[in-house]
């Protein structure tokens, strides 16, 4: 009996050593903090426990370790790359650096059919259907819809003039409601009604469900895959959110399928839902037994996966950029006035795409915004073959996962002119006089290479047109150090921790 108990203890000991060795030990010559059992570096850096935002943690670790270091997101080891030459090498060698495991294995748990979570032939099949939709001139047809939704929000803000000193603390929610409403119309021809009710009740259940869904997805990155599966299964809030989201997606598909195929064929070049509905497989069972290379179209589950993937990717990142815009306007009234002057000088109330293109100072503002506070802190790639990075000389092995830190590159004084501190917000960094002194390639808010953001043209059009509309009609004011203190809050994007602004209708 005693020897049985002893061998049980021995077995547990061996298992502990094995798991610790395989998942939680610093290895190789790349520096980093020693990972702790189960939590990796998350506890010691305050990401767990103190809600330390990851961008700040990585900035500090760069000061400590330099251009490359290891970091353990719980059981997942990533190699954080902070040097532009190495980042560019990774982006341009797609045959070595494929989509990161963080996306495929972890986020794939919540949406295995999202283009972001796919590799190889399945990625190509999905990308051929969804990627052409949001490129170049095709998105210009959406301008009126974007402006209509923005005008709805402005109508709400007009009522604020009754109390002009009021400090608004719900800018994040309001921006999310706006970008979600816009995305519903332009991608799905569907009125999500998120702007109907400021107080986030009733009709805004979708906003809340998406928030829960994205938060759950973020937690998965820090958990072993098997625990992640259990976490999702046992999380009633997540399951309820998923039911709500699926109900909306089903409704959108049904609405689309009621259209005639002729109407749909006309719209499929610019409408995501029309393109997805056109791609629906006629015989799912027959397609399912084909090899991935010979499959055509998408199954209904895949269509729903892509709808959710674009909905998530399309609204929260754009909303984050919008929130930062409002925050910086409230803090830099001289920048806000200069934008207003530029708009007033050249433009009437009706906006065209050409009008937007001529607003060069506003372009500088956005470039600076995307540099200083990119909504996504970085991106990941997994090696499918061994490689050596050109600048740091780091030897990487097949299966390693690299993480390119957008934040660290964008604040590195090696790439930015000495005359304007890279830590401060100054759109003049990108003016014609100054731009040549900066290595603008070090600002990569939309990623790079073959897996760069598919929605970046739309995001730029959306942000520029919304902000022009804002600047035509309202002025944002600083709600004071207590409410408008900035800082960083980590969700699926990086947001200001404290934002409180006044909104004055001009
Ligand atoms: C300010 C807004 C946005 C930012 C900052 C942003 C940023 C990013 C980043 C950093 C990536 C990963 C790129 C890489 O790994 O190299 C990405 C991927 C992606 N984004 Fe965006 N995005 C934005 C808006 C949008 C919008 C509006 C859409 C949809 C229309 C969208 C759809 C996607 C998709 C589908 C992917 C996955 C691409 C792939 O895996 O091949 N994004 N985005």
């Amino acid at each position: 009996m005693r020897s049985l108990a002893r061998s049980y203890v021995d077995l547990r000991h061996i298992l502990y050593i094995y798991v610790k060795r395989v998942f939680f030990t610093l290895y190789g010559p790349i520096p980093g903090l020693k990972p702790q059992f189960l939590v990796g570096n998350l506890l010691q850096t305050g990401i767990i426990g103190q809600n330390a935002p990851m961008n700040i943690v990585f900035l500090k670790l760069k000061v400590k370790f330099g251009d490359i270091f290891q970091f353990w997101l719980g059981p997942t080891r990533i190699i954080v790359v902070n040097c532009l030459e190495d980042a560019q090498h990774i982006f341009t060698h797609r045959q070595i650096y494929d989509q990161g495991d963080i996306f495929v294995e972890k986020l794939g748990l919540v949406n295995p059919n999202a283009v972001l979570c796919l590799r190889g032939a399945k990625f190509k099949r999905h990308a051929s259907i969804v990627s052409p939709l949001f490129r170049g001139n095709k998105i210009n047809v959406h301008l009126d819809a974007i402006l209509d939704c923005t005008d709805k929000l402005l109508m709400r803000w007009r009522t604020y003039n009754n109390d002009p000193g009021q400090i608004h603390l719900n800018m994040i929610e309001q921006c999310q409601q706006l970008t979600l409403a816009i995305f519903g119309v332009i991608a799905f021809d569907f009125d999500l009604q998120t702007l109907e009710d400021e107080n986030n009740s009733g009709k805004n259940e979708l906003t809340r469900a998406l928030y829960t869904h994205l938060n759950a997805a973020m937690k998965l990155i820090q958990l072993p895959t098997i625990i992640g599966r259990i976490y999702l299964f046992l999380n009633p809030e997540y399951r309820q959110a998923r039911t709500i989201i699926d109900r909306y997606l089903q409704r959108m598909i049904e609405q689309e399928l009621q259209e005639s195929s002729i109407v749909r064929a006309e719209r499929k070049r610019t409408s995501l839902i029309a393109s997805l509905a056109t791609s629906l497989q006629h015989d799912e069972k027959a397609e399912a037994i084909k090899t991935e290379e010979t499959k055509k179209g998408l199954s209904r589950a895949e269509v729903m996966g892509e709808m959710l993937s674009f909905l998530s990717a399309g609204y929260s990142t754009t909303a984050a950029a919008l929130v930062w815009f409002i925050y910086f306007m409230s803090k830099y009234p001289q920048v806000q006035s200069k934008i207003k002057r530029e708009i007033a000088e050249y433009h009437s109330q009706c906006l065209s795409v050409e009008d937007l293109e001529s607003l060069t100072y506003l372009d500088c503002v956005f470039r600076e915004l995307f540099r200083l506070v990119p909504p996504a802190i970085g991106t990941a790639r997994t090696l499918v073959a061994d490689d050596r990075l050109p600048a740091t000389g780091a030897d990487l092995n097949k299966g390693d996962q690299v993480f390119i830190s957008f934040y660290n590159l964008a604040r590195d004084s090696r790439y930015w002119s000495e005359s304007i501190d890279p830590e401060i917000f100054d759109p003049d960094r990108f003016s014609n006089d100054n731009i040549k002194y900066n290595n603008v390639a070090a600002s990569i808010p939309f990623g790079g290479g073959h897996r760069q953001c598919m929605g970046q043209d739309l995001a730029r059009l959306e942000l520029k047109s919304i902000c022009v509309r804002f600047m035509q009609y309202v002025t944002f004011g600083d709600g004071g150090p207590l409410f408008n203190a900035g800082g960083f809050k980590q969700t699926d994007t990086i947001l200001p921790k404290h934002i409180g602004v006044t909104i004055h209708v001009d």
Side-chain angles (χ1 to χ4, degrees):
M1 191 65 189
R2 193 177 290 162
S3 72
L4 204 68
R6 191 180 307 132
S7 47
Y8 175 66
V9 172
D10 284 350
L11 197 69
R12 273 189 10 189
H13 195 65
I14 290 167
L15 194 68
Y16 169 79
I17 291 173
Y18 172 78
V19 173
K20 172 100 178 64
R21 199 62 199 257
V22 174
F23 294 108
F24 302 101
T25 302
L26 199 64
Y27 56 83
I30 299 172
L33 298 175
K34 244 176 135 182
Q36 296 172 318
F37 189 57
L38 293 180
V39 288
N41 300 134
L42 295 172
L43 193 63
Q44 65 209 130
T45 52
I47 292 175
I48 289 183
Q50 296 163 45
N51 282 333
M54 221 181 289
N55 56 332
I56 300 301
V57 169
F58 284 3
L59 271 174
K60 286 184 186 155
L61 292 176
K62 186 192 167 213
V63 173
K64 192 174 167 81
F65 297 117
D67 275 345
I68 192 156
F69 58 84
Q70 316 188 26
F71 189 84
W72 294 73
L73 288 161
T76 307
R77 174 181 179 256
I78 56 174
I79 295 166
V80 181
V81 174
N82 308 299
C83 158
L84 184 57
E85 200 184 335
D86 285 346
Q88 286 173 334
H89 172 86
I90 292 168
F91 282 143
T92 47
H93 288 77
R94 57 187 288 179
Q95 71 287 4
I96 302 176
Y97 297 88
D98 207 342
Q99 185 66 318
D101 287 344
I102 288 182
F103 302 119
V104 179
E105 286 173 12
K106 305 288 175 179
L107 299 188
L109 288 177
V110 287
N111 192 353
N113 291 311
V115 71
L116 177 72
C117 309
L118 303 177
R119 290 187 185 129
K122 188 167 178 186
F123 166 72
K124 281 192 190 140
R125 176 164 60 93
H126 282 238
S128 68
I129 294 163
V130 291
S131 80
L133 283 167
F134 297 104
R135 292 245 176 91
N137 296 339
K138 280 188 199 157
I139 53 167
N140 294 345
V141 296
H142 301 307
L143 180 61
D144 287 344
I146 298 170
L147 293 175
D148 283 350
C149 291
T150 310
D151 287 344
K152 266 194 193 171
L153 184 65
L154 283 165
M155 291 256 283
R156 180 194 286 174
W157 287 358
R158 284 204 178 89
T159 64
Y160 294 170
N161 256 10
N162 303 334
D163 182 3
Q166 188 185 350
I167 297 167
H168 299 275
L169 300 172
N170 62 351
M171 280 300 112
I172 295 175
E173 292 77 13
Q174 296 216 45
C175 289
Q176 287 175 345
Q177 288 168 4
L178 175 61
T179 55
L180 202 49
I182 292 173
F183 205 74
V185 179
I186 63 186
F188 305 123
D189 298 318
F190 197 88
D191 182 4
L192 291 169
Q193 300 189 331
T194 51
L195 287 168
E196 307 293 308
D197 176 6
E198 177 173 354
N199 298 321
N200 222 10
S201 59
K203 288 171 183 146
N204 282 326
E205 61 175 355
L206 181 63
T207 324
R208 287 201 302 276
L210 282 169
Y211 180 80
T212 308
H213 173 84
L214 284 173
N215 263 356
M218 286 301 106
K219 288 213 176 73
L220 296 177
I221 293 180
Q222 305 172 0
L223 297 172
T225 310
I226 179 79
I227 306 282
R229 263 182 223 285
I230 298 169
Y231 166 78
L232 289 181
F233 183 72
L234 296 178
N235 183 338
E237 213 189 335
Y238 168 76
R239 284 153 62 97
Q240 197 196 359
R242 198 52 215 251
T243 310
I244 293 171
I245 294 169
D246 286 349
R247 200 173 64 227
Y248 274 87
L249 299 181
Q250 295 281 12
R251 253 192 254 156
M252 292 181 210
I253 298 180
E254 291 317 320
Q255 178 185 288
E256 180 59 32
L257 290 176
Q258 280 167 16
E259 291 283 356
S260 76
S261 50
I262 301 167
V263 173
R264 192 174 312 128
E266 277 169 15
R267 288 169 39 249
K268 74 171 192 180
R269 281 183 69 250
T270 54
S271 158
L272 178 64
I273 186 72
S275 172
L276 289 173
T278 311
S279 75
L280 268 171
Q281 293 166 346
H282 296 297
D283 186 347
E284 279 194 23
K285 279 192 187 141
E287 290 294 332
I289 52 173
K290 289 185 185 170
T291 61
E292 190 47 63
E293 283 72 15
T294 56
K295 274 185 188 165
K296 294 261 175 324
L298 302 179
S299 66
R300 198 174 171 106
E302 288 173 333
V303 163
M304 284 181 63
E306 286 305 356
M307 288 171 74
L308 176 55
S309 128
F310 273 79
L311 196 56
S312 319
Y315 97 99
S316 73
T317 43
T318 318
L322 204 52
V323 174
W324 282 112
F325 175 84
I326 294 173
Y327 173 75
F328 282 114
M329 291 308 99
S330 76
K331 289 288 179 192
Y332 293 83
Q334 72 286 11
V335 173
Q336 187 166 204
S337 305
K338 198 166 168 183
I339 297 173
K340 282 172 176 286
R341 280 201 302 280
E342 182 178 52
I343 295 170
E345 210 171 307
Y346 297 108
H347 306 280
S348 64
Q349 306 297 57
C350 329
L351 272 181
S352 66
V353 172
E354 293 71 37
D355 288 335
L356 289 175
E357 278 165 6
S358 68
L359 296 168
T360 50
Y361 181 66
L362 189 56
D363 277 334
C364 297
V365 173
F366 278 117
R367 292 182 85 168
E368 180 63 342
L369 199 84
F370 280 135
R371 181 195 69 83
L372 194 63
V373 284
I377 66 160
T379 194
R381 300 284 187 267
T382 294
L383 280 91
V384 293
D386 295 352
D387 193 30
R388 172 173 293 170
L389 290 176
T392 48
D395 284 316
L396 304 175
N397 300 314
K398 181 178 172 184
D400 282 348
Q401 187 167 202
V402 286
F403 184 87
I404 296 164
S405 168
F406 301 163
Y407 261 81
N408 287 357
L409 288 170
R411 288 163 185 254
D412 190 325
S413 54
R414 286 177 295 182
Y415 310 125
W416 303 97
S417 151
E418 271 176 21
S419 59
I420 309 177
D421 181 353
E423 286 295 329
I424 64 163
F425 175 77
D426 187 347
D428 283 336
R429 193 187 311 279
F430 291 100
S431 70
N432 282 341
D433 291 342
N434 293 331
I435 199 163
K436 50 186 174 291
Y437 302 114
N438 294 298
N439 190 346
V440 294
S443 175
I444 34 179
F446 295 100
H450 74 303
R451 301 304 296 257
Q452 63 186 274
C453 175
M454 287 181 184
Q456 54 188 294
D457 292 343
L458 175 67
R460 287 201 173 91
L461 175 82
E462 218 181 315
L463 285 165
K464 210 170 173 189
S465 44
I466 295 172
C467 292
V468 168
R469 220 23 158 214
F470 282 178
M471 291 294 92
Q472 282 177 320
Y473 295 107
V474 299
T475 302
F476 298 107
D478 189 351
L482 193 61
F483 298 112
N484 204 29
F488 296 103
K489 176 164 104 173
Q490 172 99 53
T491 59
D492 60 310
T493 58
I494 290 284
L495 292 162
K497 190 170 180 187
H498 303 284
I499 172 164
V501 296
T502 57
I503 300 177
H504 180 266
V505 180
D506 299 334

